[in-house]
Amino acid sequence: MSPLYQVLTPEGGLLHDIEGQLDEATMISMLENMLLVRLFDRKCINLQRQGRMGTYAPFEGQEASQVGSAMALTPGDWLFPTYRDHAAAIVHGQSMMRVFLYWMGHMEGSISPNHLNIMPPCVPIATQMVHAVGTAWASKLQDEKHVSLAYFGDGATSEGDFHEALNFAGVFKTPTIFFCQNNGFAISVPFEQQSASKTIAQRAAAYDIPGVRIDGNDIFAVWLTMKKAIERALAGEGPTLIEAMTFRYGAHTTADDPKKYRDQERLSEEWRQERDPIQRLRVYLEKLGLWNEKKESDFIASAGAKIDAALAEAESYPKSRPEEMFKHVYAEPTWMATEQEKELVQPAKQEGIPA
């Protein structure tokens, strides 16, 4: 089995020297970003329970994987998130208001700032991996110094797109970083029941690219591994496959009941007490005198206010209409889509429902 790369231990100690690699400002920013997105995640779950948001995919427990990897990027890099990677999107520059809109059913929730290359969350499993290879290849052909980062879960590695993406990237040495957040369960199927290989990282060997297995709850290991992969990609040496071992405390989505396929209480508490990504960094920074309860309390108050402001803006946005689902599918609407839209809208008008 591939060795697990770890830098920051669960107790807040260091296994490797990071002198000259991580400065104090970066480490504080890492903790603040993880606290912010955890608050955001919990707010979204509450909103869904209140009927103010649709089905939602929580990520609590995976903050180090998403925040650490996104913080390693530059503004021109391409980000290909799944439906669970809104923390990474926020860190890379997507507004929280837009993320709220996405989960409230607005197409406008997929729009990113003009200067950033953040793709819409990808719901089909693994398809974004092929797209990431395509943009990376384009960047290489145009001699742009940008990488494409594709997020995916352990379940995506059972899809054909995973193998096609790695094979193409390996052949053409594209500046692509494949970032797998292995949280142990592809929805409800344990990893050992969907894969004969012991790790995902070892699959990289079939495509002659590096495969790295890291502690995904160790933000230092995530960031340092990403930096190395980016340097390698921009030097023309091709892609890297990163397997980040992590865990989602909650359900696959708010429509899922994890108690049906895992010991939810035992596993969640075990990971919270022994491997929580925020706690280990908090302890480390407290030892250095860079963090304390007052700083955290002040930050949480400020972050909460920002989240509430973003939510207020999102909830004041004009309500979406069902027929909007037909937009942005084809450059020119097909006759079939046109007929389907008429069938949807006409009954609504007859019943006096606002279109």
Side-chain angles (χ1 to χ4, degrees), residues 29-232:
S29 180
M30 286 174 169
L31 181 57
E32 291 179 340
N33 276 318
M34 286 197 291
L35 287 169
L36 171 67
V37 297
R38 178 166 289 188
L39 290 171
F40 179 88
D41 188 64
R42 291 179 176 179
K43 170 69 80 172
C44 287
I45 293 174
N46 289 336
L47 291 170
Q48 193 280 330
R49 300 304 188 210
Q50 296 166 9
R52 297 160 68 186
M53 180 181 287
T55 300
Y56 174 76
F59 57 77
E60 184 170 347
Q62 299 182 207
E63 292 91 350
S65 289
Q66 294 192 34
V67 172
S69 54
M71 282 186 65
L73 299 175
T74 59
D77 293 328
W78 292 79
L79 187 71
F80 288 82
T82 71
Y83 48 80
R84 198 183 307 283
D85 301 311
H86 16 297
I90 290 170
V91 171
H92 196 47
Q94 180 64 295
S95 72
M96 290 187 288
M97 188 276 286
R98 290 287 175 184
V99 179
F100 278 133
L101 283 183
Y102 175 83
W103 291 104
M104 291 175 176
H106 292 278
M107 290 186 297
E108 291 83 358
S110 295
I111 299 173
S112 62
N114 290 332
H115 67 289
L116 295 175
N117 298 317
I118 303 175
M119 295 296 99
C122 190
V123 178
I125 306 301
T127 56
Q128 76 282 2
M129 299 180 68
V130 181
H131 303 157
V133 174
T135 56
W137 194 26
S139 292
K140 180 178 180 178
L141 292 174
Q142 297 180 51
D143 198 29
E144 297 174 344
K145 293 300 180 182
H146 300 314
V147 300
S148 292
L149 172 58
Y151 290 103
F152 55 100
D154 45 300
T157 65
S158 295
E159 297 285 343
D161 301 76
F162 169 83
H163 302 280
E164 293 160 8
L166 265 66
N167 186 57
F168 197 103
V171 170
F172 292 94
K173 294 190 179 300
T174 64
T176 317
I177 298 172
F178 301 104
F179 196 95
C180 176
Q181 295 173 84
N182 187 347
N183 60 31
F185 291 87
I187 301 183
S188 59
V189 181
F191 180 69
E192 61 271 14
Q193 291 183 22
Q194 66 153 320
S195 173
S197 61
K198 300 302 181 184
T199 72
I200 291 168
Q202 71 190 70
R203 299 184 190 181
Y207 307 101
D208 198 28
I209 67 177
V212 188
R213 188 166 172 265
I214 65 175
D215 182 345
N217 281 24
D218 171 3
I219 196 166
F220 291 175
V222 173
W223 190 85
L224 290 168
T225 301
M226 275 290 300
K227 281 296 186 181
K228 184 176 181 180
I230 291 171
E231 291 174 5
R232 184 176 179 278

Side-chain angles (χ1 to χ4, degrees), residues 11-27:
E11 298 75 30
L14 290 179
L15 295 177
H16 304 282
D17 182 23
I18 59 172
E19 185 71 29
Q21 300 180 76
L22 275 164
D23 58 35
E24 293 179 353
T26 299
M27 292 188 289

Side-chain angles (χ1 to χ4, degrees), residues 293-342:
E293 289 186 9
K294 177 66 166 54
K295 286 186 177 181
E296 182 156 329
S297 178
D298 290 345
F299 177 80
I300 288 176
S302 174
K306 291 178 181 178
I307 292 171
D308 288 342
L311 174 60
E313 185 179 359
E315 290 194 316
S316 66
Y317 203 83
K319 298 296 183 183
S320 60
R321 298 178 298 176
E323 62 267 28
E324 291 178 0
M325 74 175 79
F326 295 97
K327 296 181 179 179
H328 311 299
V329 179
Y330 300 100
E332 296 294 334
T334 64
W335 68 268
M336 186 178 297
T338 301
E339 289 298 317
Q340 290 174 340
E341 183 175 358
K342 287 180 180 178

